[in-house]
């Protein structure tokens, strides 16, 4: 299989991202929302206060010309040497795409000088928590995040990139 490619999400390819969102009905059931184009647009614009939008990269993940996922990345957050994964959704589960996407990106981030990956997982999303722990992430602290304009309980995770 070929490597993954990452295509910036723009107003012209939002429907491709929506199809990935719709393939993740279990995730959206946990957030009590049905994904729409407005959901994708809101995620495209979302970011922490005082975060430079130029460092946000919301992308379609493709392989061999097929869209297989979406990823939302914040470079230099929460500290300059970190990458924050705001969202990783894969359209087809249990084929190793998530693990391989993460491995490919981790290698490029390490080469670019980043030292840590951060993310947060809904506390009621046990499948995602198992996935991230299996990838070497460790829990850092419980927190609150916003989802569909409402506060939700999350668990923060981190992983040091290999030296």
């Amino acid at each position: 299989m070929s490597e993954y490619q990452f295509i910036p999400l723009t107003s012209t390819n939002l429907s491709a991202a929506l199809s990935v969102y719709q393939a993740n009905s279990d995730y959206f059931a946990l957030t009590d929302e049905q994904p729409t184009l407005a959901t994708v647009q809101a995620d495209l614009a979302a970011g922490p206060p005082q975060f430079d939008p130029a460092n946000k990269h919301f992308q379609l993940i493709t392989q061999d010309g097929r869209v297989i996922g979406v990823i939302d990345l914040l470079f230099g957050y929460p500290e300059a040497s970190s990458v924050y994964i705001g969202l990783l959704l894969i359209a087809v589960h249990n084929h190793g795409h998530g693990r391989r996407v993460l491995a490919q990106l981790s290698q490029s981030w390490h080469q670019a000088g980043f030292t840590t990956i951060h993310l947060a997982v809904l506390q009621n999303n046990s499948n995602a928590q198992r996935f991230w722990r299996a990838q070497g992430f460790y829990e850092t602290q419980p927190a609150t995040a916003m989802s569909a304009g409402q506060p939700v309980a999350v668990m923060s995770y981190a992983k040091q990139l290999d030296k």
Side-chain angles (χ1 to χ4, degrees), residues 23-103:
N24 283 275
S25 58
D26 289 349
Y27 170 76
F28 285 98
L30 296 172
T31 66
D32 292 327
E33 68 177 302
Q34 292 298 314
T36 65
L37 281 176
T39 309
V40 179
Q41 290 170 318
D43 287 348
L44 181 59
Q50 287 82 44
F51 182 76
D52 182 353
N55 292 328
K56 177 182 170 85
H57 300 273
F58 199 0
Q59 302 168 321
L60 294 173
I61 305 167
T62 66
Q63 184 182 46
D64 299 325
R66 293 178 305 119
V67 174
I68 62 102
V70 296
I71 192 163
D72 183 18
L73 302 169
L74 305 177
F75 290 97
Y77 182 82
E79 58 262 336
S81 63
S82 297
V83 176
Y84 188 90
I85 300 174
L87 183 67
L88 173 62
L89 293 175
I90 302 294
V92 179
H93 300 107
N94 301 315
H95 287 87
H97 290 299
R99 178 181 46 78
R100 291 193 310 267
V101 164
L102 182 63

Side-chain angles (χ1 to χ4, degrees), residues 3 48 74 99 130 135 159:
E3 285 192 340
L74 305 177
R99 178 181 46 78
R130 270 192 301 279
Q135 307 317 306
K159 177 180 180 179

Side-chain angles (χ1 to χ4, degrees), residues 82-137:
S82 297
V83 176
Y84 188 90
I85 300 174
L87 183 67
L88 173 62
L89 293 175
I90 302 294
V92 179
H93 300 107
N94 301 315
H95 287 87
H97 290 299
R99 178 181 46 78
R100 291 193 310 267
V101 164
L102 182 63
Q104 180 179 325
L105 289 173
S106 294
Q107 182 179 13
S108 69
W109 297 336
H110 175 66
Q111 291 171 348
F114 291 100
T115 61
T116 311
I117 304 170
H118 294 272
L119 56 92
V121 177
L122 294 171
Q123 284 189 355
N124 61 349
N125 192 343
S126 57
N127 288 337
Q129 290 181 30
R130 270 192 301 279
F131 170 80
W132 292 110
R133 284 192 301 266
Q135 307 317 306
F137 283 77

